[in-house]
């Protein structure tokens, strides 16, 4: 599927689970746990859960494991998948652009929807079509990549570049208005709320998959 001249590229941010964890904690500061608490509260005990772009699986490790959920981590990064498996977590390499999402009660994605701009709708539709009960999407609405300081903006965009073909990633981001409009354009959208600290918005949707 690669276009001429393209080469797979992945930033160090998505190549090292340890660095990813350190940078995420630094980025969110004292609000680091708030997103995880908010999402965990939306997930019923013993539900089946599929997380796309699962990263270091922190949500499962620190919040969902104790709720007895059946969890599957999907990520395009082989480093993250290997790290998850070493922790005894069910995980596999996965490219949502080219594969179908496994059916589950809850399908979720955290801080990764921007990777699929300018048209994230096909990815969102796949998530909705695979969820029996609920889809949860947490996405930043305040981004360092939007900084007016050129070096900060450029560094943020480079560090958060996913492992995709160069032609597929445009380094765009959502803001409050564009994310609210995107969420509201789906038929099963239920509600959205800000994570404490105001950096992220969480959207909650009903799933389209019938039992």
């Amino acid at each position: 599927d690669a276009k001429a001249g393209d080469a797979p590229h992945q930033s160090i941010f998505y190549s090292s689970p340890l660095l990813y964890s350190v940078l995420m904690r630094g980025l969110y500061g004292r609000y680091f746990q708030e997103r995880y608490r908010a999402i965990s509260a939306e997930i019923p005990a013993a539900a089946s859960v599929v997380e796309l772009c699962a990263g270091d699986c922190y949500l499962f490790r620190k919040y969902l494991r104790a709720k007895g959920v059946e969890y599957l981590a999907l990520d395009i990064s082989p480093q993250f998948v290997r790290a998850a498996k070493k922790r005894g977590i069910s995980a596999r390499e996965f490219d949502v652009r080219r594969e179908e999402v496994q059916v589950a009660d809850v399908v979720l994605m955290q801080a990764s929807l921007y990777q699929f701009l300018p048209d994230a709708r096909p990815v969102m539709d796949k998530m909705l079509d695979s969820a029996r009960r609920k889809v949860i999407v947490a996405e930043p609405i305040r981004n360092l990549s939007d900084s007016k300081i050129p070096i900060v903006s450029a560094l943020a965009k480079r560090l958060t570049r996913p492992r995709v073909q160069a032609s597929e990633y445009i380094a765009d981001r959502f803001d409050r208005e564009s994310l609210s409009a995107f969420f509201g354009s789906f038929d099963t959208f239920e509600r959205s709320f800000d994570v404490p600290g105001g950096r992220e918005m969480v959207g909650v949707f009903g799933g389209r998959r019938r039992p």
Side-chain angles (χ1 to χ4, degrees):
D1 294 322
K3 296 181 181 180
D6 281 350
H9 175 84
Q10 184 181 17
S11 81
I12 191 172
F13 187 71
Y14 292 112
S15 300
S16 167
L18 177 59
L19 181 58
Y20 175 89
S21 297
V22 170
L23 290 176
M24 288 295 286
R25 286 180 178 275
L27 185 61
Y28 285 87
R30 64 191 181 96
Y31 297 107
F32 176 73
Q33 301 290 347
E34 300 300 331
R35 179 221 285 168
Y36 300 106
R37 291 193 185 103
I39 294 176
S40 177
E42 295 286 338
I43 299 175
S48 58
V49 178
V50 170
E51 181 172 7
L52 279 71
C53 308
D56 62 359
C57 302
Y58 188 88
L59 176 69
F60 174 72
R61 293 189 287 115
K62 301 301 182 181
Y63 289 90
L64 297 185
R65 196 195 299 268
K67 299 180 79 167
V69 305
E70 178 186 338
Y71 177 84
L72 172 64
L74 302 177
D75 203 288
I76 201 168
S77 167
Q79 292 92 338
F80 280 120
V81 171
R82 285 196 297 270
K85 288 181 175 180
K86 286 181 180 179
R87 295 177 181 268
I89 299 171
S90 179
R92 67 180 177 88
E93 288 185 52
F94 179 83
D95 185 347
V96 68
R97 286 186 173 90
R98 296 168 176 83
E99 301 177 67
E100 295 303 314
V101 180
Q102 181 169 317
V103 174
D105 296 328
V106 179
V107 178
L108 67 96
M109 178 184 287
Q110 303 181 73
S112 297
L113 195 62
Y114 74 90
Q115 297 177 8
F116 306 101
L117 292 173
D119 186 11
R121 180 167 291 275
V123 171
M124 192 71 192
D125 279 328
K126 283 187 177 185
M127 295 173 68
L128 292 169
D129 290 343
S130 298
R132 299 188 191 95
R133 300 172 67 173
K134 188 180 290 190
V135 168
I136 303 168
V137 176
E139 185 71 13
I141 51 176
R142 291 198 342 238
N143 298 278
L144 289 178
S145 60
D146 296 326
S147 173
K148 294 181 180 180
I149 303 174
I151 191 171
V152 173
S153 175
L155 183 60
K157 288 176 180 178
R158 183 170 182 80
L159 283 175
T160 56
R161 181 188 181 100
R163 183 175 177 265
V164 297
Q165 300 299 335
S167 63
E168 294 179 343
Y169 179 61
I170 64 172
D172 201 1
R173 298 292 190 275
F174 288 99
D175 58 18
R176 179 179 297 279
E177 289 187 1
S178 62
L179 187 60
S180 294
F182 181 78
F183 283 170
S185 69
F186 289 90
D187 56 342
T188 64
F189 174 67
E190 295 179 355
R191 67 189 190 282
S192 63
F193 58 90
D194 286 5
V195 172
R199 187 178 184 276
E200 282 194 331
M201 181 186 295
V202 176
V204 181
F205 307 76
R208 294 176 182 158
R209 174 76 60 161
R210 294 294 172 259

